[in-house]
Amino acid sequence: MEDVPLTLSGRDGDGGADASLLLELVKSLIVEVHPHTSQVPVTLDREFDRDLGLGSLELVELLLRVEDAFGVTLPSRAFAAAETPRDLLRVLDSADRRPAEHPAPIPSGGSLKETSSPVAASTLVEALTWHVDATPDRVHIRILNESGVEDELSYKGLYAEGASVAGGLLARGLTRGDTVAIMLPTSREYFPIFTGVLMAGGIPVPIYPPVRPSQLADHLRRQVHILTNAGATMLVAGPEAVPLGRLLRSHVGSMRHVVTPESLATERGGALSSPGPDDVALLQYTSGSTGHPKGVVLTHANLLANLRAMVDAADVSGADTFVSWLPLYHDMGLIGAWLGSLYSGMPLVIMPPEVFLTRPARWLWAISTQRGTISAAPNFAYELCLRKVDDAELEGLDLSSWRLAFNGAEPVSPDTVERFAIRFGPYGLRRTAITPVYGLAESSVGLAFPPLGRGPLVDRVEREAFLRSGRAIPGDAADADTIRFVACGQPLPGHDLRIVDTAGHEMPDRQEGRIEFRGPSATSGYYRNPDATRSLFRGAWLDTGDLGYIADRDVYVTGRVKDLIIRAGRNLHPEELEDAIGNLTGVRKGCVAVFASPDPELGTERLVVLAETRETDDQTWADLRSRIVGATIDLLGTPPDEVVLAPPRTVPKTSSGKIRRAASREIYERGTMGTPPAPVWRQLVGFMWSGWRGRLRRALSAAGAFAFALYTSMLLIVVTLPLILLLALVPRQQWRMWWARTSARFLVRLTGTSITVHGLDRLPSGTSLVVANHPSWLDGLVLAAILPIPSRFVAGEILSRRALAGFLLRRVGAVFVERTERQRGVSDTDRLVEMAGQGQRLVMFPEGHLEPTVGLRRFRMGAFVVAARASIPIVPIAIQGTRSMLPPSHHFLRRGSIQVLVEEAIHPSGNDWAAAVKLQHAARTAILRQCGEPDLE
């Protein structure tokens, strides 16, 4: 993901040019020391240590640069007292000016110009706060219910209600990074709940409520998969869905509470959280059309990068109005409609999906009456308007305000866009408003938009050449035997698209292949799914799973890789055939699945057509089969191997209405096609029974974990008591180190813990400084067990004040350093440099104190300044497995295994600050590559 420049806030009222220059100096130091945190906004009130990651040594370097840039001599109190750039600015005002040897650098940027969107915001919460400050009472969301009654929510109202929800979540024990599932329909309550989860430091996980009672068991199984994968600690559901929520909780071990919006809004909790740009803002679970849903990890930075790119490409402003019926558990509705409106400042008019589905004309009338300028929907919605809206319902309709009619989320039909333009042209709809787009959750939501005002562009290609070789040769418009594809636009600003073959080689224009992309909106992977994440990435590129080609910079999507059917040397895409069969009289449109099934006898693939019909007469069925075979031959030049006619609601679909071809093939191969679902009560009883079995398994597992924790606690006492006695009596420090290492190895052996060490031979025999990541309290014990003697640990001064820990560490030769008092911190650095010069091996954890958030944190500069000044090598060590055995927030040990990877020693290139920074970057990169945790910087 590309870095986004830091945002500077140095206006005239805050010190004018001095403030701008100071903030520029802070920014440049952050980029130098922590290059991956360039999205952190630098303002006068950000704290150096907590917010900007500048510790004692970094602050010393900053003060030197400030003195040079401003031509002043700063008083000593500046180092001890300055907590923020504003504090330093006040010191500058009273500092003694001295002639500058060089002219001060010209600050970049300048004052922020007036905008209608929060261009400086680095998180969604900051974007909302910006609007609250700018236009607190402006209507943000207008909710339309089935009877047309409106309910409104302002920016100020959303913030206040979200803060109230956050308090309720915190009161129920929500901690930073916890996942909260939201199973709510489109309603006023949804928006404060989602906002409140972010304000409380949690991660929202939208899931969809059950719709069809006949498919209740299948729905619950899919939700259990999502909730288990997400590790959801809480489920927010409407009162009517609470019983189902409790059923789900019986299957999900991590879930502690099932709550309603009303119960959260009436409670108060602790202080609100301030998420960072690289914190996870959303787990967007894919619809699962080709398998189990996967949780796409999207950070605040990902989402804001995508929103800014879409706003730019669509020329969106606060003067627009977005009208939506899209469900809020789907990325197009949640991110494209709501969060896009939140960022850009345009009002959102929203109605529940069922209001549109029962009477599609309501969507068009909402655009007309609300003077909507932007709306979006999958292709089926436009088709539904064509088939289900009578002319009598359109009298007085005015669609002239509609400037962007986005069509995406599923294959775009050239017939649908053309007929929609013709049908609604007389009601003010301009053909240029119809805007096919391309996107996917892995790119937040949007990836390609067409040029504004162009309208739909349809490409005709020669059928035979395309099916045989994938070459999209332009065909004659008069030739009926061509395949038509709709252009879905060009990459959004800052994003790239390419087409590759199966070996990853880039393809020329008009050659079909796999669509790959990259850009700042791209996810870092799937949540707790390393196998799927590995298959997603091709180096710096991400695989969309879609097939397509590029012509004149436009991308044309031709199908899904997993749905491609290879038959007699031809590549068959099911969408065109499904659409053609769906148009046959007697077949339910949009309820046709075409897929390949292995033929066990011939070893080839069979072409199967599954079509829903309401017809029941045998003769009608025979005629319908004949017409389906004819349509298949007309399109593909070959008949299907089997045509299966089934009653309504047989073809599985995703929550967004896509055909689940893999699931269709599964029920076909199981032979359960058309089997009526079990009664709802039987589905619920079966689900409850499986839940009780799961509870029993978890109870037995918990009992085993408790017994192991009790055993290890007793073992720790048994081992520690003799160790304390020996450390107190043994006179030589080297002997005490030997006893400490022997005791650590003894504990490892008796707990059955496996420690696998790779690369220990890379550790220099002479002086060196070992740095390691610090995910758990076990890390020191692990390193004590594997590192040769003597190795002296460097620990925070706070540990020396703890009776038992301080005694043990002192007796094994640990060195204590001050991390909060700046003057002591600098003098402790000098002491470590002196020790390193005496030939001692030092061991440090540059992340500092432990934190429960999973991931590699910023590295403080102390260890690397010591190594550079003492001219000794840094040895990076990556530790895996200790966090899962003893997380920072837990007190009892779990079973597990540990891996330790020792990297090659890194020698300093000099003894100055620049050499220390290089050491820090190189060591952190090496550890990040091997520690198996995300990059929190």
Side-chain angles (χ1 to χ4, degrees), residues 208-220:
Y208 62 99
V211 179
R212 299 178 181 176
S214 62
Q215 297 180 353
L216 183 61
D218 180 61
H219 169 84
L220 292 174

Side-chain angles (χ1 to χ4, degrees), residues 558-720:
T558 58
R560 293 285 297 170
V561 173
K562 292 184 178 181
D563 294 333
L564 186 67
I565 302 168
I566 302 175
R567 184 180 173 88
R570 308 169 86 211
N571 296 334
L572 309 180
H573 296 275
E575 291 88 353
E576 187 184 23
L577 181 57
E578 288 169 348
D579 189 57
I581 293 173
N583 287 324
L584 297 176
T585 303
V587 176
R588 299 189 71 214
K589 188 169 182 63
C591 300
V592 180
V594 175
F595 52 87
S597 178
D599 189 323
E601 296 182 1
L602 301 178
T604 59
E605 286 190 333
R606 294 165 52 82
L607 178 62
V608 180
V609 175
L610 168 62
E612 291 185 9
T613 179
R614 297 187 186 277
E615 305 293 341
T616 57
D617 179 68
D618 289 345
Q619 183 56 46
T620 305
W621 274 40
D623 177 63
L624 196 52
R625 279 198 177 92
S626 177
R627 286 188 287 129
I628 290 174
V629 170
T632 306
I633 293 173
D634 289 343
L635 273 178
L636 307 182
T638 180
D641 292 289
E642 187 167 358
V643 175
V644 180
L645 298 179
R649 297 184 177 178
T650 297
V651 176
K653 296 183 180 181
T654 69
S655 61
S656 57
K658 296 179 184 176
I659 299 295
R660 294 172 59 199
R661 298 185 184 91
S664 299
R665 179 174 58 246
E666 184 180 345
I667 63 174
Y668 165 78
E669 293 172 352
R670 283 204 317 258
T672 57
M673 195 75 69
T675 303
V680 174
W681 69 267
R682 187 178 297 174
Q683 295 184 48
L684 288 174
V685 168
F687 194 78
M688 290 173 63
W689 169 240
S690 64
W692 279 109
R693 285 187 301 175
R695 282 186 174 182
L696 180 60
R697 285 194 300 268
R698 289 195 293 274
L700 292 175
S701 176
F706 176 77
F708 180 75
L710 185 63
Y711 164 72
T712 54
S713 299
M714 296 295 295
L715 185 63
L716 187 63
I717 295 173
V718 170
V719 172
T720 302

Side-chain angles (χ1 to χ4, degrees), residues 4 23 61 65 122 147 178 203 252 259 273 330 384 388 425 479 549 555 557 569 595 631 745 762 867:
V4 176
L23 293 176
E61 180 67 19
R65 297 182 184 188
S122 63
S147 60
D178 282 353
I203 303 172
V252 182
V259 296
S273 177
H330 191 271
L384 199 63
K388 296 294 186 180
D479 185 1
Y549 64 90
V555 62
V557 183
F595 52 87
R745 291 179 172 180
R762 298 170 179 166

Side-chain angles (χ1 to χ4, degrees), residues 153 156-166 188-189 192-193 196 199 265:
L153 190 60
K156 181 175 68 176
L158 175 61
Y159 187 94
E161 293 181 27
S164 176
V165 168
R188 192 183 197 280
E189 293 77 18
I193 292 296
M199 288 180 163

Side-chain angles (χ1 to χ4, degrees), residues 855-888:
L856 190 68
R857 302 186 302 281
R858 294 171 177 151
F859 277 12
R860 296 173 180 268
M861 287 296 297
F864 310 100
V865 170
V866 170
R869 288 173 55 186
S871 297
I872 61 173
I874 286 280
V875 182
I877 292 184
I879 302 173
Q880 295 184 22
T882 55
R883 186 188 297 276
S884 61
M885 292 184 64
L886 187 63

Side-chain angles (χ1 to χ4, degrees), residues 51 137 159 218 307-308 319 346 349 626 669 689 876:
D51 299 327
D137 297 316
Y159 187 94
D218 180 61
L307 296 176
R308 288 181 177 119
M346 62 177 165
V349 178
S626 177
E669 293 172 352
W689 169 240

